[in-house]
Amino acid sequence: MMWVLAICSLPLTAISQASETIALQETPGVPSTTQSDVQFESSSDVVTPSAEMATPPANEAADNLLEDTASKLFSEKRFWSLILVLAVCFSVLICTFRARMGAKVYVRPIAGLKAIEEAVGRATEMGRPVLFVPGIMDLNELQTVAGLSVLSSVAKESAAYENNVHVPTARSLVMTAAREVVQAACIEAGKPDVYNDDSVRYITDEQFAYVAEVCGWTQREKPAACFYMGQFFAESLLLAENGNSVGAIQIAGTAESSQLPFFVASCDYTLLGEELFAASAYLSGEPQQLGSLQGQDLGKALAVTLLLAGCLLITLVQFEGLGPYPQIAYDVLYHQILGRD
C-alpha cells in the first residue's frame, strides 16, 4: 500500500512544482528561476565549485604538458654528451665523403691480415685444405659478422689457388650466410666451379660437441692453415692447440678479452679487439668503409683526449697554490661535459 501511495504522489509533486514556478514568473519584481536554481538554493549546505575554479586555464595546462614532455625527451645534464655524439657522427660523415672523393686514407698494416695470402698459398703447396671457424655465436653478434667479412677474403684467395676451404658452423643462419659469402668470393675470383656446398656445414649448437667435431676433422684432414675469426669462449684454446698439433699456420681474431691470451699463446698471428672490426675495411679497401673507419678513429681520439684531460685536472687539484681554477675546470669536465652527478 505504501508503494502505491508513493507512485501516485509523483504526478502531484511534479504539478505542484510547476505551478510554483509559473507563479514566481508571473509575480512582478521577482526574477525568474528554473527548477535547478530552486533546488540549488534549497540545498544551501552543499557548495559546488565553478568550472573556472575546478580546472586551470587551457594555456597553462598546455605549457605544463610541453615542459613535462621536454624534460622527458631532453636532459640538460646530457647536453654535452649530445654535442660529443654529433661531433663523432659529423667526423664519420666528413671522412667518408672525403674518401669517396678520392682522398687517401691511411690504415696501419695488420700482420695477421697480411699473412692470409701466405697461409692459403702454403696450404695449396702442401695439398692440404684450409679451415675457417667463424666462432660459435649467431649472426646477431657483431664479431660473427666481422668474421664472415674475413671469410670472404680467405675464400677468394682459396678459390684463386683452387683450394678447398672448410667452414664448420655452430648456427644454421651462420651456415647460410657463410655459403653465400664463399660462393660470391668464388665468383669474384673467376672460379665459380671451385665452390662446393658441402664445404660449409652446420654441425650443432652444442658448444663442446661442435668443438669435438672440428677437432676430429682437423686430426683427420690435417689442414695447413687455420683461421679463427669471431666470438669464442672456453673452446678457444682447444681449437687452437689442436690446430697447432698438426703444424698449421694459425690466424685468430676476437674481441673477447678473456680469450685473447689463449690465441696469442697458440696462434701465429692474432687480431686484437678492434683489429677484427677493422679487417673488413682493411681487406676490401672500399673508400666508404675506410672513411668510416677513419671517422671512428677520430672519435676515439676525442675520447682519449677527454680521458687524459680528466687525469691531468684531477692531479692538479691535489696540489695547493694553484688557485681554484683546476677545481673549476675539473667540475666543468666532470659534471657538465661528461654529465656525471
Side-chain angles (χ1 to χ4, degrees), residues 180-237:
E180 295 291 337
V181 169
V182 174
Q183 185 176 13
C186 293
I187 295 174
E188 187 177 355
K191 301 292 182 65
D193 297 336
V194 177
Y195 173 72
N196 184 9
D197 274 343
D198 294 335
S199 63
V200 183
R201 298 186 300 118
Y202 166 75
I203 307 302
T204 179
D205 287 13
E206 294 295 332
Q207 180 181 15
F208 290 104
Y210 170 78
V211 174
E213 200 282 336
V214 175
C215 291
W217 183 91
T218 302
Q219 292 296 327
R220 292 190 303 270
E221 301 296 333
K222 299 188 183 323
C226 297
F227 297 87
Y228 311 103
M229 299 287 175
Q231 191 168 10
F232 296 89
F233 296 98
E235 73 283 350
S236 60
L237 186 60

Side-chain angles (χ1 to χ4, degrees), residues 199-339:
S199 63
V200 183
R201 298 186 300 118
Y202 166 75
I203 307 302
T204 179
D205 287 13
E206 294 295 332
Q207 180 181 15
F208 290 104
Y210 170 78
V211 174
E213 200 282 336
V214 175
C215 291
W217 183 91
T218 302
Q219 292 296 327
R220 292 190 303 270
E221 301 296 333
K222 299 188 183 323
C226 297
F227 297 87
Y228 311 103
M229 299 287 175
Q231 191 168 10
F232 296 89
F233 296 98
E235 73 283 350
S236 60
L237 186 60
L238 297 175
L239 293 171
E241 282 297 324
N242 189 67
N244 191 34
S245 66
V246 298
I249 295 180
Q250 299 194 109
I251 303 175
T254 184
E256 290 293 330
S257 58
S258 60
Q259 306 305 317
L260 284 174
F262 304 119
F263 280 139
V264 171
S266 55
C267 295
D268 299 284
Y269 303 95
T270 304
L271 305 183
L272 305 176
E274 293 291 331
E275 293 180 345
L276 175 63
F277 301 112
S280 176
Y282 181 89
L283 294 172
S284 65
E286 295 181 2
Q288 187 171 353
Q289 295 191 31
L290 291 175
S292 176
L293 182 63
Q294 187 182 41
Q296 295 175 39
D297 288 342
L298 292 178
K300 296 172 187 176
L302 177 61
V304 172
T305 301
L306 291 176
L307 178 64
L308 294 178
C311 294
L312 177 62
L313 290 174
I314 196 62
T315 303
L316 294 177
V317 167
Q318 307 303 320
F319 291 94
E320 298 180 357
L322 298 178
Y325 300 107
Q327 183 65 46
I328 295 174
Y330 173 76
D331 292 338
V332 170
L333 176 63
Y334 189 79
H335 296 290
Q336 296 186 12
I337 297 180
L338 298 181

Side-chain angles (χ1 to χ4, degrees), residues 66-127:
L66 290 175
E67 291 178 0
D68 294 340
T69 304
S71 63
K72 292 178 181 179
L73 294 178
F74 184 79
S75 175
E76 295 181 357
K77 294 182 179 180
R78 301 294 181 182
F79 175 75
W80 282 101
S81 298
L82 175 63
I83 297 298
L84 295 176
V85 170
L86 291 178
V88 174
C89 292
F90 277 115
S91 66
V92 171
L93 292 176
I94 292 173
C95 292
T96 303
F97 178 77
R98 291 182 66 254
R100 295 179 63 180
M101 293 298 294
K104 186 177 180 180
V105 179
Y106 172 76
V107 179
R108 68 175 179 83
I110 301 177
L113 299 178
K114 292 178 63 177
I116 290 178
E117 184 177 0
E118 175 190 353
V120 176
R122 179 173 180 269
T124 305
E125 291 176 357
M126 299 177 66

